[in-house]
Amino acid sequence: SLGGKVYPFVYVKMMVARRAGYWIYNIVLPMLILMVCSFAAFVVDVESLHDRCSVTLTVLLTIVALKYVVAEKLPDINY
């Protein structure tokens, strides 16, 4: 310091904001659409078990694939 004074502390104030639009449009909205599509199994005729299971398993596999895509975008942090 120029005056010979010692300043032991430095205070810094920062404003930080997170934009949630990216996560809403790319993660939450597709997941909600898939969850609504999962109810399509109830529209299929009760007698056609194969078709109902096919719809359910397709939506399940799509949700699992979306989970892996989301996991790749998140940072690796050990809490």
Side-chain angles (χ1 to χ4, degrees):
S1 64
L2 297 175
K5 295 180 182 178
V6 177
Y7 299 102
F9 296 103
V10 175
Y11 294 101
V12 178
K13 186 175 181 179
M14 296 175 63
M15 296 293 291
V16 180
R18 181 180 299 212
R19 292 186 217 150
Y22 173 81
W23 295 103
I24 290 173
Y25 291 124
N26 292 317
I27 309 299
V28 176
L29 190 62
M31 185 62 75
L32 286 175
I33 292 170
L34 289 172
M35 293 305 296
V36 169
C37 289
S38 68
F39 289 107
F42 295 112
V43 177
V44 179
D45 186 29
V46 177
E47 300 298 322
S48 58
L49 180 65
H50 175 55
D51 293 334
R52 291 180 73 145
C53 289
S54 175
V55 169
T56 304
L57 289 176
T58 301
V59 171
L60 177 69
L61 290 175
T62 306
I63 290 173
V64 170
L66 181 64
K67 180 208 171 284
Y68 279 113
V69 169
V70 170
E72 288 179 3
K73 292 186 177 191
L74 294 176
D76 295 330
I77 297 175
N78 294 327
Y79 286 106

Coordinates of all heavy atoms in Angstrom, one line a residue:
S1 N 0.8 -1.2 0.0 CA 0.0 0.0 0.0 C 0.9 1.2 0.0 O 2.0 1.2 0.5 CB -1.0 0.0 1.2 OG -0.2 0.0 2.4
L2 N 0.4 2.3 -0.5 CA 1.2 3.5 -0.7 C 1.3 4.3 0.7 O 2.4 4.9 0.9 CB 0.5 4.5 -1.7 CG 0.4 3.9 -3.1 CD1 -0.4 4.9 -4.0 CD2 1.8 3.7 -3.7
G3 N 0.4 4.2 1.5 CA 0.5 5.0 2.8 C 1.0 4.2 3.9 O 1.1 4.6 5.0
G4 N 1.5 2.9 3.7 CA 2.0 2.1 4.7 C 1.0 1.4 5.5 O 1.3 0.8 6.5
K5 N -0.3 1.5 5.1 CA -1.3 0.8 5.9 C -1.5 -0.6 5.4 O -1.3 -0.9 4.2 CB -2.6 1.5 5.8 CG -2.6 2.9 6.4 CD -4.0 3.6 6.2 CE -4.0 5.0 6.7 NZ -5.2 5.6 6.5
V6 N -1.8 -1.5 6.3 CA -2.1 -2.9 5.9 C -3.6 -3.2 6.0 O -4.2 -2.9 7.0 CB -1.3 -3.9 6.8 CG1 -1.6 -5.3 6.5 CG2 0.2 -3.6 6.8
Y7 N -4.1 -3.7 4.9 CA -5.5 -4.1 4.9 C -5.6 -5.6 4.8 O -5.4 -6.2 3.8 CB -6.2 -3.5 3.6 CG -6.1 -2.0 3.6 CD1 -5.2 -1.3 2.8 CD2 -7.0 -1.2 4.3 CE1 -5.1 0.1 2.7 CE2 -6.9 0.2 4.3 CZ -6.0 0.8 3.5 OH -5.9 2.2 3.5
P8 N -6.0 -6.2 6.0 CA -6.0 -7.7 6.0 C -7.2 -8.3 5.3 O -7.2 -9.5 5.1 CB -6.0 -8.0 7.5 CG -6.7 -6.8 8.1 CD -6.3 -5.6 7.3
F9 N -8.2 -7.6 5.0 CA -9.4 -8.2 4.4 C -9.8 -7.4 3.2 O -9.6 -6.2 3.1 CB -10.6 -8.1 5.4 CG -10.4 -8.9 6.6 CD1 -10.2 -8.3 7.8 CD2 -10.5 -10.3 6.6 CE1 -10.0 -9.0 9.0 CE2 -10.4 -11.0 7.8 CZ -10.1 -10.4 9.0
V10 N -10.3 -8.2 2.2 CA -10.9 -7.6 1.0 C -12.3 -8.2 0.9 O -12.5 -9.4 0.9 CB -10.1 -8.0 -0.2 CG1 -10.7 -7.5 -1.5 CG2 -8.6 -7.5 -0.1
Y11 N -13.3 -7.3 0.8 CA -14.6 -7.7 0.7 C -15.1 -7.5 -0.8 O -14.9 -6.4 -1.4 CB -15.6 -6.9 1.6 CG -15.3 -7.1 3.0 CD1 -14.6 -6.2 3.8 CD2 -15.8 -8.3 3.6 CE1 -14.3 -6.5 5.1 CE2 -15.6 -8.5 5.0 CZ -14.9 -7.6 5.7 OH -14.6 -7.9 7.0
V12 N -15.6 -8.5 -1.4 CA -16.1 -8.5 -2.7 C -17.6 -8.9 -2.8 O -18.0 -9.9 -2.2 CB -15.3 -9.5 -3.6 CG1 -15.8 -9.5 -5.1 CG2 -13.8 -9.1 -3.6
K13 N -18.4 -8.1 -3.4 CA -19.8 -8.4 -3.6 C -20.1 -8.6 -5.0 O -19.8 -7.8 -5.9 CB -20.6 -7.2 -3.0 CG -22.1 -7.5 -2.9 CD -22.8 -6.4 -2.3 CE -24.3 -6.7 -2.2 NZ -25.0 -5.6 -1.6
M14 N -20.7 -9.8 -5.3 CA -21.1 -10.1 -6.7 C -22.5 -10.5 -6.8 O -23.0 -11.2 -5.9 CB -20.2 -11.3 -7.2 CG -18.7 -11.0 -7.3 SD -17.7 -12.4 -7.7 CE -18.3 -12.7 -9.3
M15 N -23.1 -10.1 -7.9 CA -24.5 -10.6 -8.2 C -24.4 -11.7 -9.3 O -23.9 -11.4 -10.3 CB -25.3 -9.4 -8.7 CG -25.6 -8.3 -7.7 SD -26.5 -8.8 -6.3 CE -28.1 -9.0 -7.1
V16 N -24.9 -12.8 -9.0 CA -24.9 -14.0 -9.9 C -26.3 -14.4 -10.1 O -27.1 -14.6 -9.2 CB -24.0 -15.1 -9.3 CG1 -24.0 -16.3 -10.2 CG2 -22.6 -14.6 -9.0
A17 N -26.6 -14.7 -11.4 CA -28.0 -15.2 -11.7 C -27.9 -16.3 -12.7 O -27.0 -16.4 -13.5 CB -28.8 -14.0 -12.4
R18 N -28.7 -17.3 -12.5 CA -28.7 -18.5 -13.3 C -29.9 -18.4 -14.3 O -31.1 -18.2 -13.8 CB -28.8 -19.7 -12.5 CG -28.8 -21.0 -13.3 CD -28.9 -22.2 -12.4 NE -27.8 -22.2 -11.5 CZ -27.2 -23.3 -11.1 NH1 -27.7 -24.4 -11.4 NH2 -26.2 -23.2 -10.3
R19 N -29.7 -18.6 -15.5 CA -30.8 -18.6 -16.5 C -31.4 -20.0 -16.6 O -30.7 -21.0 -17.0 CB -30.3 -18.2 -17.9 CG -29.9 -16.8 -17.9 CD -29.5 -16.4 -19.3 NE -28.4 -15.4 -19.2 CZ -27.5 -15.3 -20.1 NH1 -27.5 -16.0 -21.2 NH2 -26.5 -14.5 -20.0
A20 N -32.6 -20.2 -16.2 CA -33.2 -21.5 -16.1 C -33.9 -21.9 -17.5 O -34.3 -23.1 -17.6 CB -34.3 -21.6 -15.0
G21 N -33.9 -21.0 -18.4 CA -34.6 -21.3 -19.7 C -34.0 -22.4 -20.4 O -34.7 -23.3 -21.0
Y22 N -32.7 -22.6 -20.4 CA -32.0 -23.7 -21.2 C -32.5 -25.0 -20.6 O -32.8 -25.9 -21.3 CB -30.5 -23.5 -21.0 CG -29.7 -24.7 -21.6 CD1 -29.5 -24.8 -22.9 CD2 -29.3 -25.7 -20.7 CE1 -28.8 -25.9 -23.5 CE2 -28.6 -26.8 -21.2 CZ -28.4 -26.9 -22.6 OH -27.7 -27.9 -23.1
W23 N -32.4 -25.1 -19.3 CA -32.8 -26.4 -18.6 C -34.3 -26.7 -18.8 O -34.7 -27.9 -18.9 CB -32.4 -26.4 -17.2 CG -30.9 -26.3 -17.0 CD1 -30.2 -25.2 -16.7 CD2 -29.9 -27.3 -17.3 NE1 -28.8 -25.5 -16.7 CE2 -28.7 -26.8 -17.1 CE3 -30.0 -28.6 -17.7 CZ2 -27.5 -27.5 -17.2 CZ3 -28.9 -29.4 -17.8 CH2 -27.6 -28.8 -17.6
I24 N -35.1 -25.7 -18.7 CA -36.5 -25.9 -18.9 C -36.9 -26.4 -20.3 O -37.6 -27.4 -20.4 CB -37.3 -24.6 -18.6 CG1 -37.2 -24.4 -17.1 CG2 -38.8 -24.8 -19.0 CD1 -37.8 -23.0 -16.6
Y25 N -36.3 -25.8 -21.3 CA -36.6 -26.2 -22.7 C -35.9 -27.5 -23.1 O -36.4 -28.2 -23.9 CB -36.2 -25.1 -23.7 CG -37.1 -23.9 -23.5 CD1 -36.6 -22.6 -23.3 CD2 -38.5 -24.0 -23.6 CE1 -37.4 -21.5 -23.2 CE2 -39.3 -22.9 -23.5 CZ -38.8 -21.6 -23.3 OH -39.6 -20.5 -23.1
N26 N -34.8 -27.8 -22.6 CA -34.0 -28.9 -23.0 C -34.1 -30.2 -22.1 O -33.8 -31.3 -22.6 CB -32.5 -28.6 -23.2 CG -32.3 -27.6 -24.3 OD1 -32.9 -27.8 -25.4 ND2 -31.5 -26.6 -24.1
I27 N -34.5 -30.0 -20.9 CA -34.6 -31.1 -20.0 C -36.0 -31.3 -19.5 O -36.6 -32.4 -19.6 CB -33.7 -30.9 -18.8 CG1 -32.3 -30.6 -19.2 CG2 -33.7 -32.1 -17.9 CD1 -31.6 -31.6 -20.1
V28 N -36.6 -30.3 -18.9 CA -37.9 -30.4 -18.2 C -39.0 -30.6 -19.2 O -39.9 -31.5 -19.0 CB -38.2 -29.2 -17.3 CG1 -39.5 -29.3 -16.6 CG2 -37.1 -29.1 -16.2
L29 N -39.1 -29.8 -20.2 CA -40.2 -29.9 -21.2 C -40.2 -31.2 -21.9 O -41.2 -31.9 -22.0 CB -40.1 -28.7 -22.2 CG -41.3 -28.6 -23.1 CD1 -42.5 -28.3 -22.3 CD2 -41.0 -27.4 -24.1
P30 N -39.0 -31.7 -22.4 CA -39.1 -33.1 -23.0 C -39.5 -34.2 -22.1 O -40.2 -35.1 -22.4 CB -37.6 -33.3 -23.5 CG -37.1 -32.0 -23.7 CD -37.7 -31.1 -22.7
M31 N -39.1 -34.1 -20.8 CA -39.5 -35.1 -19.8 C -41.0 -35.0 -19.6 O -41.6 -36.1 -19.5 CB -38.7 -34.9 -18.5 CG -39.0 -35.9 -17.5 SD -38.5 -37.6 -18.0 CE -36.7 -37.4 -17.8
L32 N -41.5 -33.8 -19.5 CA -43.0 -33.7 -19.3 C -43.7 -34.3 -20.5 O -44.8 -35.0 -20.4 CB -43.4 -32.3 -19.1 CG -43.0 -31.7 -17.7 CD1 -43.4 -30.2 -17.7 CD2 -43.8 -32.4 -16.7
I33 N -43.2 -34.0 -21.7 CA -43.9 -34.6 -22.9 C -43.8 -36.1 -22.9 O -44.8 -36.8 -23.3 CB -43.2 -34.0 -24.2 CG1 -43.5 -32.5 -24.3 CG2 -43.6 -34.8 -25.4 CD1 -42.8 -31.8 -25.4
L34 N -42.7 -36.7 -22.5 CA -42.6 -38.1 -22.4 C -43.5 -38.7 -21.4 O -44.1 -39.8 -21.6 CB -41.1 -38.5 -22.1 CG -40.2 -38.3 -23.3 CD1 -38.7 -38.6 -22.8 CD2 -40.5 -39.2 -24.4
M35 N -43.6 -38.0 -20.3 CA -44.5 -38.5 -19.2 C -46.0 -38.5 -19.7 O -46.8 -39.4 -19.4 CB -44.4 -37.7 -17.9 CG -43.0 -37.8 -17.3 SD -42.6 -39.5 -16.9 CE -43.9 -39.9 -15.7
V36 N -46.4 -37.4 -20.5 CA -47.7 -37.4 -21.0 C -47.9 -38.5 -22.0 O -49.0 -39.1 -22.1 CB -48.0 -36.0 -21.6 CG1 -49.3 -36.0 -22.4 CG2 -48.1 -35.0 -20.5
C37 N -46.9 -38.8 -22.8 CA -46.9 -39.9 -23.8 C -47.1 -41.2 -23.1 O -47.6 -42.2 -23.7 CB -45.7 -39.9 -24.7 SG -45.7 -38.5 -25.9
S38 N -46.6 -41.4 -21.9 CA -46.7 -42.7 -21.2 C -48.2 -43.0 -20.9 O -48.5 -44.2 -20.8 CB -45.9 -42.6 -19.9 OG -46.5 -41.8 -19.0
F39 N -49.0 -42.0 -20.9 CA -50.4 -42.3 -20.7 C -51.1 -42.8 -21.9 O -52.3 -43.2 -21.9 CB -51.2 -41.0 -20.1 CG -50.8 -40.7 -18.7 CD1 -50.0 -39.6 -18.4 CD2 -51.2 -41.5 -17.7 CE1 -49.6 -39.4 -17.1 CE2 -50.9 -41.2 -16.4 CZ -50.1 -40.1 -16.1
A40 N -50.4 -42.8 -23.0 CA -51.0 -43.3 -24.3 C -51.2 -44.8 -24.2 O -52.0 -45.4 -24.9 CB -50.0 -43.0 -25.5
A41 N -50.6 -45.5 -23.3 CA -50.8 -46.9 -23.1 C -52.2 -47.2 -22.6 O -52.8 -48.3 -22.9 CB -49.8 -47.5 -22.1
F42 N -52.9 -46.2 -22.0 CA -54.2 -46.4 -21.5 C -55.2 -46.2 -22.6 O -56.4 -46.6 -22.5 CB -54.5 -45.5 -20.4 CG -53.7 -45.7 -19.1 CD1 -52.8 -44.8 -18.7 CD2 -53.9 -46.9 -18.4 CE1 -52.0 -45.1 -17.6 CE2 -53.2 -47.1 -17.3 CZ -52.2 -46.2 -16.9
V43 N -54.8 -45.6 -23.7 CA -55.7 -45.4 -24.9 C -55.8 -46.7 -25.7 O -56.8 -47.0 -26.3 CB -55.2 -44.2 -25.7 CG1 -56.0 -44.0 -26.9 CG2 -55.2 -43.0 -24.8
V44 N -54.7 -47.5 -25.7 CA -54.6 -48.7 -26.5 C -55.6 -49.7 -25.9 O -55.9 -49.8 -24.7 CB -53.2 -49.3 -26.5 CG1 -53.1 -50.5 -27.3 CG2 -52.2 -48.2 -27.1
D45 N -56.2 -50.5 -26.8 CA -57.2 -51.5 -26.4 C -56.7 -52.4 -25.3 O -55.5 -52.8 -25.4 CB -57.7 -52.3 -27.6 CG -58.8 -53.2 -27.3 OD1 -59.6 -52.9 -26.4 OD2 -58.9 -54.2 -28.0
V46 N -57.5 -52.8 -24.4 CA -57.1 -53.7 -23.3 C -56.7 -55.0 -23.7 O -55.8 -55.7 -23.2 CB -58.3 -53.8 -22.2 CG1 -57.9 -54.7 -21.1 CG2 -58.6 -52.4 -21.7
E47 N -57.3 -55.5 -24.8 CA -57.0 -56.8 -25.3 C -55.7 -57.0 -26.0 O -55.1 -58.1 -26.0 CB -58.1 -57.2 -26.3 CG -59.5 -57.3 -25.7 CD -59.7 -58.3 -24.6 OE1 -59.1 -59.4 -24.7 OE2 -60.4 -58.0 -23.6
S48 N -55.1 -55.9 -26.5 CA -53.8 -55.9 -27.1 C -52.7 -55.6 -26.2 O -52.2 -54.5 -26.1 CB -53.8 -55.0 -28.3 OG -54.1 -53.7 -27.9
L49 N -52.3 -56.6 -25.4 CA -51.3 -56.4 -24.4 C -50.0 -56.1 -25.0 O -49.2 -55.3 -24.5 CB -51.2 -57.7 -23.5 CG -50.2 -57.7 -22.4 CD1 -50.5 -56.6 -21.4 CD2 -50.1 -59.0 -21.8
H50 N -49.7 -56.7 -26.1 CA -48.4 -56.5 -26.8 C -48.2 -55.0 -27.2 O -47.1 -54.4 -27.0 CB -48.3 -57.4 -28.0 CG -47.1 -57.1 -28.9 ND1 -45.8 -57.2 -28.3 CD2 -46.9 -56.8 -30.2 CE1 -44.9 -56.9 -29.3 NE2 -45.6 -56.7 -30.4
D51 N -49.2 -54.4 -27.7 CA -49.1 -53.0 -28.1 C -49.0 -52.1 -26.8 O -48.2 -51.1 -26.9 CB -50.4 -52.6 -28.9 CG -50.4 -53.3 -30.2 OD1 -49.3 -53.7 -30.7 OD2 -51.5 -53.4 -30.8
R52 N -49.7 -52.4 -25.8 CA -49.6 -51.6 -24.6 C -48.2 -51.7 -24.0 O -47.7 -50.7 -23.6 CB -50.7 -52.0 -23.5 CG -52.1 -51.7 -23.9 CD -53.0 -52.2 -22.9 NE -52.9 -51.3 -21.8 CZ -53.9 -51.0 -21.0 NH1 -55.1 -51.5 -21.2 NH2 -53.8 -50.2 -20.0
C53 N -47.7 -52.9 -23.9 CA -46.3 -53.0 -23.4 C -45.3 -52.3 -24.3 O -44.3 -51.8 -23.8 CB -46.0 -54.5 -23.2 SG -46.9 -55.3 -21.9
S54 N -45.5 -52.4 -25.6 CA -44.6 -51.8 -26.5 C -44.6 -50.2 -26.3 O -43.5 -49.6 -26.3 CB -45.0 -52.1 -28.0 OG -44.3 -51.4 -28.9
V55 N -45.7 -49.6 -26.1 CA -45.8 -48.2 -25.9 C -45.1 -47.9 -24.6 O -44.2 -46.9 -24.5 CB -47.2 -47.7 -25.9 CG1 -47.3 -46.3 -25.3 CG2 -47.8 -47.8 -27.3
T56 N -45.3 -48.6 -23.5 CA -44.8 -48.4 -22.2 C -43.2 -48.5 -22.2 O -42.5 -47.7 -21.7 CB -45.4 -49.3 -21.2 OG1 -46.8 -49.1 -21.2 CG2 -44.9 -49.0 -19.8
L57 N -42.8 -49.6 -22.8 CA -41.3 -49.8 -22.8 C -40.6 -48.8 -23.7 O -39.5 -48.4 -23.4 CB -41.0 -51.2 -23.3 CG -41.4 -52.3 -22.3 CD1 -41.1 -53.7 -22.9 CD2 -40.6 -52.1 -21.0
T58 N -41.2 -48.4 -24.8 CA -40.6 -47.4 -25.7 C -40.4 -46.1 -24.9 O -39.4 -45.4 -25.0 CB -41.4 -47.2 -26.9 OG1 -41.5 -48.4 -27.6 CG2 -40.8 -46.1 -27.8
V59 N -41.4 -45.6 -24.2 CA -41.3 -44.4 -23.4 C -40.3 -44.6 -22.3 O -39.5 -43.7 -22.0 CB -42.7 -44.0 -22.8 CG1 -42.6 -42.9 -21.8 CG2 -43.7 -43.6 -24.0
L60 N -40.3 -45.7 -21.6 CA -39.3 -46.0 -20.6 C -37.9 -45.9 -21.1 O -37.0 -45.3 -20.5 CB -39.6 -47.3 -19.9 CG -38.6 -47.8 -18.9 CD1 -38.7 -46.9 -17.6 CD2 -38.7 -49.2 -18.5
L61 N -37.6 -46.5 -22.2 CA -36.3 -46.5 -22.8 C -35.9 -45.1 -23.3 O -34.7 -44.7 -23.1 CB -36.2 -47.4 -24.0 CG -36.2 -48.9 -23.6 CD1 -36.2 -49.8 -24.9 CD2 -35.0 -49.3 -22.8
T62 N -36.8 -44.3 -23.7 CA -36.6 -42.9 -24.1 C -36.2 -42.1 -22.9 O -35.3 -41.2 -23.0 CB -37.8 -42.3 -24.9 OG1 -38.1 -43.2 -25.9 CG2 -37.5 -41.0 -25.4
I63 N -36.9 -42.3 -21.8 CA -36.6 -41.5 -20.6 C -35.2 -41.9 -20.1 O -34.5 -41.0 -19.6 CB -37.7 -41.8 -19.5 CG1 -39.0 -41.1 -19.9 CG2 -37.3 -41.3 -18.1 CD1 -40.2 -41.5 -19.1
V64 N -34.9 -43.2 -20.1 CA -33.5 -43.6 -19.7 C -32.5 -42.9 -20.6 O -31.4 -42.5 -20.1 CB -33.4 -45.1 -19.7 CG1 -32.0 -45.6 -19.5 CG2 -34.3 -45.7 -18.6
A65 N -32.7 -42.9 -21.9 CA -31.7 -42.3 -22.8 C -31.6 -40.8 -22.5 O -30.5 -40.2 -22.5 CB -32.2 -42.5 -24.2
L66 N -32.7 -40.1 -22.2 CA -32.7 -38.7 -21.9 C -31.9 -38.5 -20.6 O -31.2 -37.5 -20.4 CB -34.1 -38.2 -21.7 CG -34.2 -36.7 -21.4 CD1 -33.6 -35.8 -22.5 CD2 -35.7 -36.3 -21.1
K67 N -32.0 -39.4 -19.6 CA -31.3 -39.3 -18.4 C -29.8 -39.4 -18.6 O -29.0 -38.6 -18.1 CB -31.7 -40.5 -17.4 CG -30.9 -40.4 -16.1 CD -30.8 -41.8 -15.6 CE -29.9 -41.9 -14.4 NZ -28.5 -41.9 -14.7
Y68 N -29.3 -40.2 -19.6 CA -27.9 -40.3 -19.9 C -27.4 -39.1 -20.6 O -26.3 -38.6 -20.4 CB -27.6 -41.5 -20.7 CG -27.5 -42.8 -19.9 CD1 -28.5 -43.8 -20.1 CD2 -26.5 -43.0 -19.0 CE1 -28.4 -45.0 -19.3 CE2 -26.4 -44.1 -18.3 CZ -27.3 -45.1 -18.4 OH -27.3 -46.2 -17.7
V69 N -28.3 -38.5 -21.4 CA -27.9 -37.2 -22.1 C -27.7 -36.1 -21.1 O -26.8 -35.3 -21.2 CB -28.9 -36.9 -23.2 CG1 -28.7 -35.5 -23.7 CG2 -28.9 -37.9 -24.3
V70 N -28.7 -36.0 -20.2 CA -28.6 -35.0 -19.1 C -27.4 -35.2 -18.2 O -26.7 -34.3 -17.9 CB -29.9 -35.0 -18.3 CG1 -29.8 -34.1 -17.0 CG2 -31.1 -34.6 -19.1
A71 N -27.1 -36.5 -17.9 CA -25.9 -36.7 -17.0 C -24.6 -36.3 -17.7 O -23.7 -35.9 -17.0 CB -25.9 -38.2 -16.7
E72 N -24.5 -36.4 -19.0 CA -23.3 -36.0 -19.7 C -23.1 -34.5 -19.7 O -22.0 -34.0 -19.7 CB -23.3 -36.4 -21.2 CG -23.2 -37.9 -21.4 CD -23.2 -38.4 -22.8 OE1 -23.4 -37.5 -23.7 OE2 -23.1 -39.6 -23.1
K73 N -24.2 -33.7 -19.6 CA -24.1 -32.3 -19.6 C -23.8 -31.7 -18.2 O -23.4 -30.6 -18.1 CB -25.4 -31.6 -20.1 CG -25.7 -31.9 -21.6 CD -26.9 -31.2 -22.1 CE -27.0 -31.4 -23.6 NZ -28.0 -30.6 -24.2
L74 N -24.1 -32.4 -17.2 CA -23.9 -32.0 -15.8 C -22.4 -32.1 -15.5 O -21.7 -33.0 -15.9 CB -24.7 -32.7 -14.8 CG -26.2 -32.5 -14.9 CD1 -26.9 -33.4 -13.9 CD2 -26.6 -31.1 -14.7
P75 N -21.8 -31.2 -14.7 CA -20.4 -31.3 -14.3 C -20.2 -32.4 -13.3 O -21.2 -32.8 -12.5 CB -20.1 -29.9 -13.7 CG -21.5 -29.4 -13.2 CD -22.5 -30.0 -14.2
D76 N -19.0 -33.0 -13.2 CA -18.7 -34.0 -12.3 C -18.3 -33.3 -11.0 O -17.2 -32.8 -10.9 CB -17.6 -34.9 -12.8 CG -18.0 -35.7 -14.0 OD1 -19.2 -36.0 -14.1 OD2 -17.1 -35.9 -14.9
I77 N -19.2 -33.4 -10.0 CA -18.9 -32.8 -8.7 C -19.2 -33.8 -7.6 O -20.2 -34.4 -7.6 CB -19.7 -31.5 -8.5 CG1 -19.4 -30.4 -9.5 CG2 -19.5 -30.9 -7.1 CD1 -20.3 -29.2 -9.4
N78 N -18.2 -34.0 -6.7 CA -18.5 -34.9 -5.6 C -18.9 -34.0 -4.4 O -18.2 -33.1 -3.9 CB -17.2 -35.6 -5.2 CG -16.7 -36.5 -6.2 OD1 -17.6 -37.1 -6.9 ND2 -15.5 -36.7 -6.4
Y79 N -20.1 -34.3 -3.9 CA -20.6 -33.5 -2.8 C -20.4 -34.3 -1.5 O -20.5 -35.4 -1.4 CB -22.1 -33.3 -2.9 CG -22.4 -32.2 -4.0 CD1 -22.9 -32.6 -5.2 CD2 -22.2 -30.9 -3.7 CE1 -23.2 -31.6 -6.2 CE2 -22.5 -29.9 -4.6 CZ -23.0 -30.3 -5.9 OH -23.2 -29.3 -6.8

